[in-house]
Amino acid sequence: MKRNAFFQLIHKSDGMYLKSYPAVNGGKALQIDDIMFYLGEKNYNAVPIDSIKTFVEKSLHTKNAEVRISFDKALPEKEFAVISVDKNRLYAKIRLYPNSSEGARLTSRDIVALLGQQGVCHGILQKNIDMMLRARLYCTDVLVAKATMPVHGHDAKITYHFNVDKTNKPEMSEDGQVDFHKLDMIEPVTEGQLLATLEPADFGTPGTDVLGKPIKPKKVSIKKLKHGKHIHLSDDELSMYSDVSGNVTCVDDTVFVSDCYEVPADVGPSTGDIEYDGSVKVKGNVLTGYTVKATGDIYVNGAVEGATLLAGGKIVLNRGIQGMGKAYMEASGDVISNFIESSTVHSGGKIITDALLHSEVIAKDAIEVNGKRGLIAGGSVRSTVEIEAKVLGSTMGTQTELEVGYDPNVIDRYHEIEKIMEERADEKETIEQNIAVLKKRFKAVGTLEPEKLVNLKRNMARVEEIDSEMDTLTEEYEKLDEELENMTGHGKIIVTDIAYSGVKLTISNVTNYLHSEVHHSTFVREGADIRIRGIL
């Protein structure tokens, strides 16, 4: 068995000595720090360190080197055990020092009692303690207690028994014409059909650290089956069924089954605004100033003017939208339109169109402008992953901005939190100044007027509210920061024909302006630069 070198206090008639014992089977040599620590613990503080250094050096070639450390006699010293517990309380170790030549040894029961005094009560390794005492493993860290680690569980899992990812992409003819009449977008459902099943989360089993405190298993994601109308769950809430025949969509993990509400003509003065729990199909146009809001999808056969369209699913416009700077569309799913002009569009999925002109556009997924014209000119176009078009900008130098690489919603929220936290910090500083003034007055006169006392309590309560809000905001901010960090370097911009001078490109916070025309290229981020590659 390997054993480190150690030392021992020796009682002699002319004083106290240190005696060395050599290492065995490749153990470590004597350590000056070990000896000085021990002497300090036993109040031998006057021993010169040079004497100890000489003693350690002598022990390297003398089996039992000795050095006198005191001319006075001393009381016997028992074996000395130093207990250490790691910061996570996953293990405890003992470093044992020998008894003096007239001192007593510790017993296994003594060691367990010393551990108990340090709070170590779980996972004690009795065999290691017995072995340490039996083999006299001095000046050696010996593991004497080990935590019981938790058994980690797993996240809840939802399985959908229908196609949640329809093609959502129109067919294109050889001449580049987009046929919005041929869309594979409806997922049919029949009454009584099984829609989804849930495998519940396994929370795991807690462990116990060496101090007897619980170690929590990793957090798991808890899910439940979420749905709209015309759907019911089984008694155990683990299965989901449709109550009607119609179409089914899934948006943000919520399943919707509905019949499609049809507007036979225009949405305008004759209909007023439309709001429907399900999908809406408009056979005519949507006129300026009117709103169509649906928890499902929105289909418009005609044109959309300066109107508002809000969909819990996707939006499909057969003839496109001429927004006149007034139109606003927001969909949790894809937005598919013949063209988009002078409008604001937010999509939780893709945006697919033939032309995108002078608009403010945000898509969580890709933006595809690949029809006959395939033109993006004017405005701001932002996508998390990819923007693809035939033509970017124009010969007139129309201000056109494209951005990829970050989820626009995430980065907007990131900056919003920064602003809120700055405002809260300023508010807290002002309140704390008021609190300090009131406390100073209270200390000076021993009392406060009732209204000032109420003001003091209100201010102190507001500080607690701000601190709590700041903790929540900080947690969200750090998660968003991590999410943005993970996105860095992703995203690309593809131009299959020509990108004109003056177009502004941003990929993961790196910005570049085109100073000349670029043909048939892909723009990607490499390090701190935007590079041009061939069509990928």
Side-chain angles (χ1 to χ4, degrees):
M1 176 185 292
K2 183 168 70 174
R3 188 179 69 182
N4 293 345
F6 62 95
F7 57 89
Q8 184 181 27
L9 279 176
I10 304 297
H11 298 267
K12 291 189 177 183
S13 58
D14 59 344
M16 299 299 295
Y17 286 72
L18 280 180
K19 182 178 180 179
S20 71
Y21 293 84
V24 176
N25 295 332
K28 293 182 180 179
L30 275 181
Q31 303 294 312
I32 294 175
D33 290 344
D34 247 349
I35 299 171
M36 296 305 296
F37 167 77
Y38 179 85
L39 293 178
E41 290 294 311
K42 300 305 178 182
N43 295 318
Y44 290 93
N45 298 312
V47 181
I49 190 169
D50 288 340
S51 297
I52 301 304
K53 288 180 178 179
T54 302
F55 169 67
V56 170
E57 291 172 0
K58 187 176 180 182
S59 72
L60 296 176
H61 49 77
T62 301
K63 183 176 181 180
N64 296 119
E66 288 190 355
V67 62
R68 182 161 56 186
I69 60 172
S70 174
F71 289 92
D72 300 324
K73 293 184 178 181
L75 294 174
E77 295 287 350
K78 288 184 178 182
E79 279 183 330
F80 180 53
V82 178
I83 299 170
S84 61
V85 178
D86 78 298
K87 64 179 182 179
N88 295 319
R89 305 186 299 275
L90 298 181
Y91 58 81
K93 294 180 179 179
I94 282 183
R95 196 170 183 87
L96 190 64
Y97 296 90
N99 52 305
S100 66
S101 59
E102 296 178 3
R105 297 198 64 197
L106 295 173
T107 66
S108 175
R109 182 176 296 178
D110 293 332
I111 295 294
V112 173
L114 289 172
L115 289 170
Q117 291 173 13
Q118 297 295 320
V120 179
C121 59
H122 178 81
I124 294 175
L125 304 173
Q126 189 64 50
K127 287 183 179 180
N128 288 11
I129 295 173
D130 295 339
M131 179 270 295
M132 174 184 68
L133 295 174
R134 183 173 61 252
R136 299 173 73 94
L137 294 181
Y138 300 125
C139 300
T140 303
D141 289 326
V142 177
L143 183 68
V144 293
K146 186 168 63 173
T148 299
M149 299 306 292
V151 177
H152 299 300
H154 60 76
D155 295 339
K157 179 182 178 182
I158 295 176
T159 301
Y160 296 101
H161 301 284
F162 60 92
N163 187 357
V164 297
D165 297 312
K166 299 294 285 185
T167 303
N168 295 340
K169 193 169 184 178
E171 292 185 6
M172 185 181 298
S173 62
E174 293 182 359
D175 65 356
Q177 293 289 344
V178 178
D179 186 356
F180 284 92
H181 296 281
K182 297 181 179 179
L183 296 174
D184 180 22
M185 306 189 67
I186 301 297
E187 178 68 13
V189 64
T190 58
E191 183 178 353
Q193 180 177 326
L194 176 65
L195 300 175
T197 51
L198 169 67
E199 181 183 349
D202 179 358
F203 293 95
T205 304
T208 306
D209 67 28
V210 295
L211 302 186
K213 297 180 179 179
I215 304 175
K216 295 180 180 179
K218 292 180 180 179
K219 290 184 178 180
V220 295
S221 175
I222 302 172
K223 297 180 180 179
K224 64 179 182 178
L225 296 176
K226 298 186 290 185
H227 61 88
K229 296 179 179 179
H230 314 305
I231 291 173
H232 75 274
L233 301 181
S234 59
D235 292 340
D236 58 8
E237 297 187 343
L238 300 180
S239 299
M240 178 190 294
Y241 297 90
S242 174
D243 293 335
V244 298
S245 295
N247 63 84
V248 58
T249 57
C250 184
V251 179
D252 292 335
D253 296 326
T254 301
V255 178
F256 297 93
V257 170
S258 66
D259 300 323
C260 188
Y261 175 71
E262 288 192 0
V263 181
D266 294 346
V267 173
S270 62
T271 63
D273 293 337
I274 302 294
E275 184 171 351
Y276 184 67
D277 185 10
S279 297
V280 173
K281 183 174 183 179
V282 180
K283 292 187 175 182
N285 307 315
V286 182
L287 305 183
T288 298
Y290 289 89
T291 297
V292 178
K293 183 177 181 181
T295 58
D297 305 326
I298 295 176
Y299 306 88
V300 181
N301 287 339
V304 178
E305 300 177 352
T308 299
L309 274 60
L310 306 172
K314 51 186 164 283
I315 295 176
V316 179
L317 310 180
N318 281 354
R319 290 181 55 190
I321 180 169
Q322 167 52 268
M324 299 174 288
K326 302 176 182 178
Y328 179 81
M329 290 197 300
E330 181 175 345
S332 297
D334 296 345
V335 172
I336 301 175
S337 178
N338 201 335
F339 68 91
I340 297 172
E341 183 174 355
S342 301
S343 303
T344 298
V345 182
H346 289 188
S347 169
K350 294 181 178 181
I351 292 178
I352 302 173
T353 185
D354 180 49
L356 219 170
L357 308 171
H358 307 290
S359 296
E360 303 296 316
V361 173
I362 292 176
K364 191 167 186 178
D365 205 333
I367 296 176
E368 300 175 5
V369 188
N370 284 326
K372 188 173 183 179
R373 288 182 291 175
L375 170 64
I376 298 177
S380 171
V381 182
R382 302 166 67 192
S383 163
T384 305
V385 291
E386 179 180 306
I387 299 173
E388 180 176 356
K390 286 184 177 179
V391 180
L392 300 180
S394 70
T395 56
M396 302 297 292
T398 304
Q399 184 175 345
T400 306
E401 300 179 0
L402 288 81
E403 180 179 348
V404 296
Y406 286 148
D407 183 340
N409 297 314
V410 171
I411 199 165
D412 288 347
R413 177 58 178 166
Y414 183 82
H415 292 312
E416 180 185 6
I417 291 175
E418 285 181 332
K419 182 178 179 181
I420 294 173
M421 291 176 71
E422 183 179 351
E423 292 173 352
R424 295 297 181 271
D426 291 341
E427 181 186 357
K428 181 179 177 180
E429 182 179 358
T430 301
I431 292 174
E432 286 180 335
Q433 290 174 356
N434 292 335
I435 290 174
V437 170
L438 291 171
K439 284 185 174 180
K440 185 176 181 181
R441 177 176 176 80
F442 179 82
K443 188 175 181 180
V445 302
T447 186
L448 285 175
E449 297 85 348
E451 64 274 12
K452 290 184 178 180
L453 184 59
V454 170
N455 189 28
L456 176 61
K457 292 179 179 179
R458 185 185 299 116
N459 284 339
M460 294 175 69
R462 178 56 183 158
V463 168
E464 290 182 1
E465 291 176 359
I466 292 173
D467 287 342
S468 176
E469 184 181 2
M470 289 288 274
D471 288 342
T472 302
L473 289 170
T474 299
E475 182 178 355
E476 183 182 358
Y477 186 85
E478 289 174 350
K479 289 180 179 178
L480 292 176
D481 187 68
E482 181 179 355
E483 188 173 347
L484 290 174
E485 182 66 26
N486 291 335
M487 291 180 187
T488 301
H490 298 287
K492 57 185 176 180
I493 298 171
I494 302 170
V495 55
T496 58
D497 189 359
I498 182 171
Y500 288 102
S501 173
V503 172
K504 178 182 178 182
L505 306 177
T506 300
I507 304 178
S508 299
N509 275 355
V510 176
T511 298
N512 192 14
Y513 287 85
L514 297 185
H515 298 294
S516 60
E517 294 179 4
V518 177
H519 298 262
H520 313 298
S521 298
T522 298
F523 300 90
V524 297
R525 174 179 169 177
E526 289 185 2
D529 297 310
I530 293 177
R531 301 293 185 188
I532 301 175
R533 298 285 181 263
I535 299 295
L536 301 178

